[in-house]
Amino acid sequence: MSHRSFTPLICGSRVFLLLLLLVLSSSLLYFSLLEQTLFQPKYHQDVPQRNISILLWHWPFGRSFRLRGDKCLEKYNISRCFLTANTSTFSSADVVIFHHQELSRGRSLLPLHRDRHASQYWVWLSMEPPVNNLNVSQLNGLFNWTMSYRRDADISVPYGKTVLGGDGRAFTAAPNRSCLVGWVVSRYQPQQARAAVYQSLKKSIPIQVYGRWNKKPLSNKKLLPTISKCFFYLSFENSEATDYISEKLWRNAFQAGVVPVVLGPSRATYEALAPPGSFIHISDFRSTEDLAVYLKLVAADRKAYEQYFQWHHTHRVKTYTDWIERLCQICVQYPHLPANRVYDDLEGWVQS
Ligand SMILES: *[C@@H]1O[C@H](CO)[C@@H](O)[C@H](O)[C@H]1NC(C)=O
Ligand SMILES: *[C@@H]1O[C@H](CO)[C@@H](O)[C@H](O)[C@H]1NC(C)=O
Ligand SMILES: *[C@@H]1O[C@H](CO)[C@@H](O)[C@H](O)[C@H]1NC(C)=O
Ligand SMILES: *[C@@H]1O[C@H](CO)[C@@H](O)[C@H](O)[C@H]1NC(C)=O
C-alpha cells in the first residue's frame, strides 16, 4: 500500500468522524429543542387550570395584613391564586403556610388534630437565618416544602435579586457625599462577627452609625436619603449563613446608591446573587486596616468609585418586601414543586 492511497483513507475517516459528530450534536440539539418546545408546554397544559388556595396559618411575627379580594391578581397579575388567613378553611386549602417564628413555641400550635387531606401541602416558612430558627427538630416529618431566601428551598423567596437589563440610573460619584462609611444597626450584639469588624474598622476610619443601638433611629422616610450621603455602607448581616443576604444589601445599599461593604455568606455567593462588580467583600482584605486604606483610596478616586456602578448599564436590582408578593410566588412555582416530598429531617435542612 502506497502513501498515496493511505492518505485519502485517513481523510475519509476524519470526514466520517466529523459527520458523526455533526449528526450527534444536531440530534442532541434537536432533542433539547424538542424538550423545550414540546415537553415543557405540554407539562404546563397538563397542570389543571384551577384555583389554588393558600392558607396562612399564623401572621408572620404577629403582624396582620389585608388579604381580602384577589390580591395576587390585583397587585401582581397572578391569577387563580387565593390567599386567606381564615383557619376555618383548613380542610379545603391546597397549601398551608406555617411561619416558623410562631411555631417555635411548640407543636401544639399546629393543626395536628385535624384532618389533613392527602393532597394538601404544608410549607415551612422562614426568612430568618438558622440562628433565629429555634426548636426546629420538633417539626421533623410534617412539612412537604420549605420556603425561604435560600436558593435550594422549594419555594425560594430572596430579599432581592439581580435582573438583566440596565435601570438607566446614571451614576456619578455624587459630589456631595459628606460621610465616608455609614451603618444602620438596631440589634447590636458584641459576640457577632459584624460587631468585631466594626469595632476594629472604626479605629482606622470614621463610621457614621444610625439605628436603635446608637439611639439614632431613622424613620423609613429618612433611611435611604441618610445612607445616600455616604460613599460606603456596611451591609453586615447579623449572621453568616448560606445565601443569607438581606435587605441590608438590596435596599439599604443598592437603593440608596451607595457601595456596599459586605459581610455574610462567601464571596462566591455574592458573586452569584449580586450585580457584577457591585460590592466590596471583607474577606478580600487581610485586616481592617487594609480595608480602611482601600475605602479611602476609592472614595478619593472618582473613576475607581464609579467602577462600582458600572453594573447599572446592564443589570438592575429588584427587592421583595411584601409578604403577599412572596405568598403569590407559590402559585407561580406550584406546577414545578415536588410531589410526595416530606422533610423528615427539617432541622438538618435548616442548619445545613
Ligand atoms: C376560581 O375562583 C373564581 C373566583 O372565586 C371563581 O369564580 C371560579 O369559579 C373558580 N374556578 C374554579 C375552577 O373553581
Ligand atoms: C422550644 O420548645 C420548648 C418546648 O416545646 C419551649 O419550652 C421553648 O419555649 C421553645 N423555645 C422557643 C424559643 O420558642
Ligand atoms: C450638598 O449638601 C449640602 C449640605 O447637606 C446641601 O445644602 C446642598 O444642597 C447639597 N447640594 C447638592 C447639589 O445636593
Ligand atoms: C406531605 O407530608 C406528609 C407528612 O407529614 C405526608 O403524609 C403527605 O403525603 C405529604 N403530602 C403530599 C401531597 O405530598
Side-chain angles (χ1 to χ4, degrees):
M1 212 192 278
S2 73
H3 285 102
R4 267 181 206 143
S5 64
F6 201 60
T7 319
L9 195 69
I10 296 176
C11 279
S13 67
R14 274 196 194 147
V15 169
F16 176 73
L17 265 177
L18 269 173
L19 275 173
L20 190 70
L21 273 173
L22 204 68
V23 168
L24 270 176
S25 59
S26 57
S27 57
L28 271 178
L29 188 71
Y30 174 74
F31 280 117
S32 69
L33 279 175
L34 194 70
E35 193 182 27
Q36 274 170 31
T37 53
L38 282 178
F39 299 149
Q40 296 271 99
K42 187 159 173 283
Y43 176 52
H44 278 293
Q45 280 156 17
D46 280 351
V47 173
Q49 283 283 307
R50 62 178 190 89
N51 297 336
I52 298 169
S53 57
I54 297 177
L55 168 60
L56 182 61
W57 194 255
H58 298 108
W59 294 113
F61 305 108
R63 289 192 288 268
S64 66
F65 41 86
R66 282 178 60 91
L67 290 180
R68 204 180 287 245
D70 191 347
K71 282 280 181 285
C72 294
L73 187 64
E74 287 164 22
K75 294 184 83 176
Y76 302 107
N77 201 27
I78 295 167
S79 58
R80 298 175 177 269
C81 187
F82 297 95
L83 310 179
T84 180
N86 181 351
T87 54
S88 73
T89 65
F90 174 78
S91 56
S92 63
D94 296 307
V95 180
V96 188
I97 315 288
F98 298 92
H99 183 251
H100 183 73
Q101 181 76 18
E102 289 70 36
L103 286 187
S104 58
R105 281 172 282 131
R107 273 172 74 105
S108 61
L109 293 152
L110 284 157
L112 293 170
H113 52 289
R114 293 175 61 170
D115 272 341
R116 170 179 178 180
H117 69 78
S119 55
Q120 185 176 72
Y121 293 98
W122 283 19
V123 179
W124 178 88
L125 164 64
S126 175
M127 295 301 288
E128 294 292 312
V131 286
N132 293 348
N133 293 324
L134 302 169
N135 279 354
V136 178
S137 59
Q138 61 179 347
L139 305 176
N140 287 348
L142 292 173
F143 289 90
N144 306 105
W145 295 332
T146 51
M147 181 168 175
S148 101
Y149 55 80
R150 269 170 61 175
R151 280 175 286 176
D152 63 350
D154 297 300
I155 303 147
S156 181
V157 279
Y159 284 88
K161 71 175 182 189
T162 303
V163 282
L164 275 175
D167 58 12
R169 278 172 81 180
F171 270 96
T172 52
N176 225 12
R177 303 209 191 219
S178 53
C179 130
L180 183 62
V181 182
W183 192 29
V184 179
V185 57
S186 43
R187 278 183 293 267
Y188 178 95
Q189 286 167 356
Q191 77 277 14
Q192 291 174 341
R194 61 178 187 173
V197 173
Y198 161 73
Q199 289 298 340
S200 176
L201 185 62
K202 77 170 188 173
K203 289 182 188 140
S204 307
I205 41 170
I207 301 173
Q208 298 262 337
V209 183
Y210 300 91
R212 258 184 291 140
W213 172 59
N214 209 29
K215 300 200 173 60
K216 282 203 240 163
L218 291 173
S219 65
N220 266 342
K221 234 174 111 190
K222 287 233 172 99
L223 180 74
L224 296 185
T226 305
I227 294 173
S228 65
K229 292 204 173 73
C230 302
F231 281 94
F232 303 101
Y233 181 76
L234 302 184
S235 292
F236 284 7
E237 301 300 347
N238 54 29
S239 163
E240 292 163 279
T242 309
D243 291 351
Y244 184 60
I245 303 179
S246 72
E247 79 292 342
K248 294 171 184 70
L249 178 76
W250 302 107
R251 180 194 56 186
N252 296 13
F254 289 146
Q255 287 191 355
V258 173
V259 176
V261 179
V262 301
L263 180 159
S266 66
R267 165 171 262 285
T269 302
Y270 282 94
E271 278 169 5
L273 299 175
S278 63
F279 61 89
I280 295 167
H281 197 288
I282 62 140
S283 72
D284 292 344
F285 300 88
R286 267 181 307 170
S287 65
T288 49
E289 287 87 354
D290 286 0
L291 172 60
V293 167
Y294 182 74
L295 296 182
K296 278 192 280 193
L297 266 173
V298 172
D301 180 344
R302 190 183 167 130
K303 275 233 168 76
Y305 188 67
E306 282 178 357
Q307 278 300 312
Y308 284 98
F309 296 97
Q310 286 301 313
W311 61 270
H312 284 278
H313 296 298
T314 47
H315 296 75
R316 71 204 132 85
V317 149
K318 167 157 175 50
T319 58
Y320 295 90
T321 52
D322 184 5
W323 283 108
I324 293 178
E325 183 169 21
R326 292 179 184 139
L327 295 173
C328 299
Q329 273 304 310
I330 297 170
C331 294
V332 176
Q333 299 185 28
Y334 192 84
H336 310 288
L337 290 169
N340 307 317
R341 177 168 287 179
V342 180
Y343 279 84
D344 286 319
D345 184 13
L346 184 64
E347 169 85 39
W349 185 83
V350 168
Q351 298 303 333
S352 67

